[in-house]
Amino acid sequence: FAASIIASTADAQSNAEITKKYPPERFLVRSGLGETPENAAEAARLEIAKYFESRISGESIIKEWAMSKTEEGKTTQKHMTELSNTIKISSDRDIPGIEITGSGKDDKTGAYEAWAVLEKSAYATLLTERITTLDSEIDRSLSRAGSDDLTRLRDLNRALHALVDREQDRRDLALLNPQNAPPSRNDDLWD
């Protein structure tokens, strides 16, 4: 019993030190456990990724076919283009700027614990820059008037992927700094 109180006291001191060094208003801090220091560090990074929910990605398939038929001297042509989209959700995230601030081993359990830290303002700046770039790409893709249906579909497909990425970045930014999050462009996405 005394050993668990000492361990809990040590954990509380460790948490207090980390909170003092990395205040929650400026940093996102998460811990992870693992059998090795590397596993613990990866688990801590994953905990930060979980904070930002799941990653959304899309896959589009364009199918095109044409048919020509001649009957009684009259030629009929049919042309069809089909676009299908699949949206995938996963927790695989690459969040730049995550630092592992340290790790330690619990001698009693043999498990390692690592602490991951993400500076909120640095990540918010990166997200703002990415949203600005995506907005330019979206506007460029939507303004193109493709010479044929297939070209137009490809432009719209590019815009669709950029809109999905933009919405994810916008949501992440809203979690970090709700006042500075740009408005959603979901109307463009649905159009």
Side-chain angles (χ1 to χ4, degrees):
F1 180 72
S4 69
I5 291 175
I6 292 170
S8 296
T9 304
D11 289 344
Q13 287 174 342
S14 177
N15 289 342
E17 289 172 15
I18 288 174
T19 302
K20 185 177 180 183
K21 189 172 181 180
Y22 300 101
E25 58 275 357
R26 290 188 45 223
F27 297 93
L28 184 60
V29 180
R30 296 291 186 268
S31 71
L33 299 174
E35 294 177 3
T36 65
E38 294 79 18
N39 290 351
E42 191 57 36
R45 282 187 186 92
L46 181 60
E47 289 301 317
I48 287 183
K50 284 181 185 177
Y51 176 81
F52 292 105
E53 299 178 40
S54 300
R55 181 159 183 81
I56 299 173
S57 64
E59 175 182 316
S60 298
I61 299 170
I62 300 173
K63 296 178 185 175
E64 187 171 14
W65 63 269
M67 183 176 86
S68 179
K69 179 177 160 184
T70 304
E71 264 184 33
E72 299 175 8
K74 185 176 178 185
T75 302
T76 311
Q77 291 184 349
K78 290 184 180 180
H79 183 263
M80 183 172 172
T81 303
E82 179 183 329
L83 171 67
S84 64
N85 286 303
T86 305
I87 303 297
K88 299 178 183 177
I89 299 175
S90 71
S91 61
D92 181 20
R93 282 216 159 209
D94 179 26
I95 299 176
I98 296 176
E99 294 180 24
I100 301 300
T101 62
S103 66
K105 183 177 182 179
D106 183 340
D107 292 329
K108 183 178 175 185
T109 64
Y112 288 88
E113 182 175 25
W115 293 92
V117 175
L118 177 66
E119 186 179 358
K120 291 179 179 181
S121 65
Y123 189 48
T125 300
L126 177 71
L127 290 170
T128 301
E129 291 169 359
R130 286 196 323 207
I131 289 169
T132 300
T133 301
L134 287 167
D135 279 339
S136 295
E137 184 180 328
I138 292 163
D139 293 338
R140 196 171 38 253
S141 293
L142 291 176
S143 68
R144 288 185 193 136
S147 58
D148 58 32
D149 288 342
L150 189 58
T151 303
R152 185 68 182 147
L153 281 172
R154 286 185 183 136
D155 288 337
L156 291 174
N157 189 43
R158 279 189 206 105
L160 172 72
H161 286 281
L163 283 163
V164 169
D165 290 344
R166 182 195 187 276
E167 184 59 20
Q168 185 66 55
D169 288 347
R170 189 195 71 77
R171 286 180 187 172
D172 286 359
L173 188 56
L175 285 171
L176 294 173
N177 191 347
Q179 298 83 9
N180 289 341
S184 175
R185 290 187 68 173
N186 278 341
D187 290 343
D188 288 332
L189 182 61
W190 298 120
D191 285 346

